[in-house]
Amino acid sequence: MVRQADLVIIGVSVGLTLGILISCLIFFGIRWYKKRAHIRRSANESSLTTLPIRTNGLGTSSDFSASLDSSIASSWSENLKRNSHFSWWNHQNKDRFASASGILKYLYKEIQKATQNFTTTLGQGSFGTVYKATMPTGEVVAVKVLAPNSKQGEKEFQTEVFLLGRLHHRNLVNLVGYCVDKGQRILVYQYMSNGSLANLLYGEEKELSWDQRLQIALDISHGIEYLHEGAVPPVIHRDLKSANILLDHSMRAKVADFGLSKEEIFDDRNSGLKGTYGYMDPAYISTSKLTTKSDIYSFGIIVFELITAIHPHQNLMEYVNLAAMDHDGVDEILDKQLVGKCNLEEVRQLAKIGHKCLHKSPRKRPSIGEVSQFISRIKQRRQRHLTEDNLSFASNNFSRAVSRLEDRQVELSRMPTINLTETV
């Protein structure tokens, strides 16, 4: 009996010991897990690492790096959605963002001095007024000032700084700096001396040749290609239009105004319809589902603006649909400035690309990479034909010159005979 009681006591003791040991392991395990989670969360909030941006498309520059990793981008994007007061614009975060992204932060008095107290106006938009400025370095820039009490403008301001701080491509307008000072919200961009594509198409100051229009279409496609296929995560511009395509001193096009842009990875909730009437994808309007193919539709509209110089608000789509009925229907709606000054087959090929971009079904629209390749082929064929024409012209000139020399030699060879006859 005594031996059996001892066994019971030993069994209970061992059981209690094991129970205490297991409880301790669970307790310390939970503490370790919580501590590690806290360290990981703190590290995500306090550190900014570089995120590689893939280069893509023809003529893109070498590798760039973005200033935010995906976890930081995700948390900031969520803050933009949830927090109506936009708490991330506190002093510490602004300084950290500026130093990490390479974007300069200016004081209001610096902007005021550079613009000569905001005297030279370049344009006016829904965001606010754009002024011309000269920085102390001598660099000429464009300064966009947020209109007072603009809640929508505040969101667009933050979106532009957040995206352009990590997006770098020669066909995107470069953000030089920003200002959040004395209640002002200001963006500083590189200056684009030839203004917007819309002003060039619909103004009376300048004419755009067919070669320039073809190059502009290619430049725009490269800019969008970087957004869709080069940026990580992909970016949907959402407000592509001729007014948001700016041209530099060499007439090279750059995509501008990213206030309504959206990273595709965050597109899991409906943020409402945004864009410009006439350029918005009908599928996006009917379903509220935003994809990169919505940008493709807008690009298709811009293609036909380049061909026709007809604004979307002037029933452009009616003309486009009528032109689609015939192979050479686009000839009838060609911009008068181009009549007799361009290759009609090239116009038809570009129009064909435009029609594909405007397909009713987003799935059947080409990717922007395919569009870039199509336009590149048109331009390459054009350059090849121009080279052949120049060679042919040079060859004809050379033949004529040789022929004249031969004729001259014949005349010279006859001259002694004539003189000899006269002497006799």
Side-chain angles (χ1 to χ4, degrees):
M1 292 292 292
V2 174
R3 190 174 297 172
Q4 188 175 0
D6 290 339
L7 290 173
V8 170
I9 292 170
I10 292 169
V12 171
S13 299
V14 171
L16 285 172
T17 303
L18 288 173
I20 292 170
L21 183 61
I22 291 171
S23 299
C24 289
L25 288 172
I26 292 173
F27 174 77
F28 286 110
I30 292 172
R31 284 197 62 183
W32 177 83
Y33 178 82
K34 287 184 176 179
K35 186 176 180 179
R36 188 167 180 82
H38 176 72
I39 291 172
R40 189 186 298 114
R41 186 168 59 252
S42 299
N44 281 344
E45 291 174 350
S46 63
S47 67
L48 289 172
T49 59
T50 59
L51 172 70
I53 297 293
R54 300 190 307 269
T55 56
N56 198 36
L58 294 172
T60 54
S61 50
S62 58
D63 280 355
F64 295 96
S65 61
S67 314
L68 308 172
D69 65 7
S70 57
S71 61
I72 295 293
S74 178
S75 64
W76 281 21
S77 178
E78 289 303 314
N79 283 339
L80 284 176
K81 292 175 181 175
R82 294 180 200 159
N83 192 347
S84 61
H85 300 289
F86 306 106
S87 60
W88 67 276
W89 273 112
N90 59 58
H91 182 74
Q92 180 180 1
N93 280 337
K94 284 185 293 184
D95 288 343
R96 186 171 63 196
F97 177 81
S99 61
S101 65
I103 297 176
L104 300 174
K105 190 180 76 169
Y106 294 98
L107 297 174
Y108 180 75
K109 63 181 181 181
E110 293 177 303
I111 302 296
Q112 191 175 29
K113 183 179 179 180
T115 58
Q116 296 182 340
N117 202 25
F118 305 97
T119 53
T120 307
T121 303
L122 295 176
Q124 184 83 28
S126 58
F127 180 98
T129 307
V130 182
Y131 301 93
K132 187 176 181 179
T134 304
M135 307 310 287
T137 59
E139 181 185 10
V140 179
V141 296
V143 171
K144 187 191 288 187
V145 182
L146 172 64
N149 305 319
S150 174
K151 293 181 180 179
Q152 183 62 39
E154 175 74 19
K155 292 179 182 179
E156 293 178 16
F157 173 84
Q158 294 186 21
T159 301
E160 289 228 28
V161 176
F162 172 69
L163 287 178
L164 290 181
R166 69 176 189 84
L167 299 176
H168 304 275
H169 189 272
R170 68 181 186 182
N171 294 121
L172 302 183
V173 172
N174 186 37
L175 181 66
V176 176
Y178 72 98
C179 171
V180 182
D181 187 25
K182 297 187 182 297
Q184 298 288 335
R185 301 288 185 271
I186 300 171
L187 295 169
V188 183
Y189 299 97
Q190 65 180 129
Y191 178 63
M192 304 294 284
S193 58
N194 276 308
S196 73
L197 175 60
N199 288 340
L200 290 173
L201 284 174
Y202 308 117
E204 297 180 356
E205 297 180 3
K206 295 183 180 180
E207 291 186 7
L208 282 173
S209 68
W210 172 245
D211 195 53
Q212 287 175 324
R213 298 184 199 213
L214 198 56
Q215 183 61 56
I216 288 169
L218 187 60
D219 287 341
I220 299 169
S221 71
H222 283 164
I224 304 170
E225 185 178 6
Y226 173 76
L227 295 177
H228 289 187
E229 301 177 7
V232 182
V235 174
I236 304 170
H237 189 281
R238 194 154 59 165
D239 197 24
L240 288 171
K241 56 184 177 181
S242 55
N244 285 342
I245 305 301
L246 304 182
L247 295 109
D248 64 14
H249 64 284
S250 300
M251 294 300 290
R252 299 303 296 268
K254 299 177 188 283
V255 180
D257 203 338
F258 290 78
L260 298 182
S261 300
K262 194 168 186 179
E263 291 180 328
E264 195 173 32
I265 194 171
F266 303 138
D267 197 35
D268 56 345
R269 59 180 71 182
N270 182 11
S271 58
L273 291 175
K274 293 178 182 177
T276 301
Y277 173 74
Y279 295 89
M280 291 174 68
D281 175 14
Y284 169 50
I285 295 172
S286 61
T287 65
S288 296
K289 186 178 180 181
L290 182 70
T291 68
T292 54
K293 294 301 179 74
S294 299
D295 278 351
I296 299 298
Y297 181 90
S298 303
F299 178 77
I301 295 292
I302 295 173
V303 164
F304 279 105
E305 283 188 274
L306 288 167
I307 292 172
T308 66
I310 300 174
H311 196 277
H313 296 171
Q314 297 174 324
N315 301 320
L316 172 61
M317 281 306 298
E318 290 185 16
Y319 290 105
V320 170
N321 291 331
L322 287 172
M325 294 180 180
D326 295 315
H327 168 70
D328 56 355
V330 70
D331 300 3
E332 302 298 323
I333 60 174
L334 183 64
D335 182 6
K336 293 179 180 178
Q337 290 185 358
L338 295 177
V339 175
K341 300 177 183 179
C342 64
N343 185 315
L344 288 177
E345 188 55 38
E346 292 173 0
V347 174
R348 293 166 192 161
Q349 289 171 0
L350 186 63
K352 187 177 180 181
I353 296 169
H355 283 300
K356 288 181 178 179
C357 293
L358 297 176
H359 199 287
K360 291 182 180 180
S361 172
R363 291 183 179 181
K364 293 185 178 181
R365 295 170 196 161
S367 69
I368 193 62
E370 292 171 327
V371 169
S372 292
Q373 289 178 5
F374 293 151
I375 300 175
S376 294
R377 289 192 197 112
I378 296 173
K379 191 161 182 64
Q380 287 167 4
R381 281 195 293 267
R382 175 175 177 76
Q383 290 172 340
R384 189 163 57 247
H385 290 156
L386 288 174
T387 301
E388 290 173 355
D389 290 343
N390 289 335
L391 287 173
S392 177
F393 179 75
S395 177
N396 290 336
N397 283 345
F398 180 74
S399 298
R400 283 196 292 270
V402 170
S403 178
R404 284 198 296 270
L405 284 172
E406 289 176 347
D407 292 342
R408 185 65 176 166
Q409 285 179 343
V410 169
E411 291 176 5
L412 290 172
S413 65
R414 288 176 179 174
M415 285 180 65
T417 305
I418 295 171
N419 292 334
L420 183 62
T421 305
E422 290 176 354
T423 304
V424 173

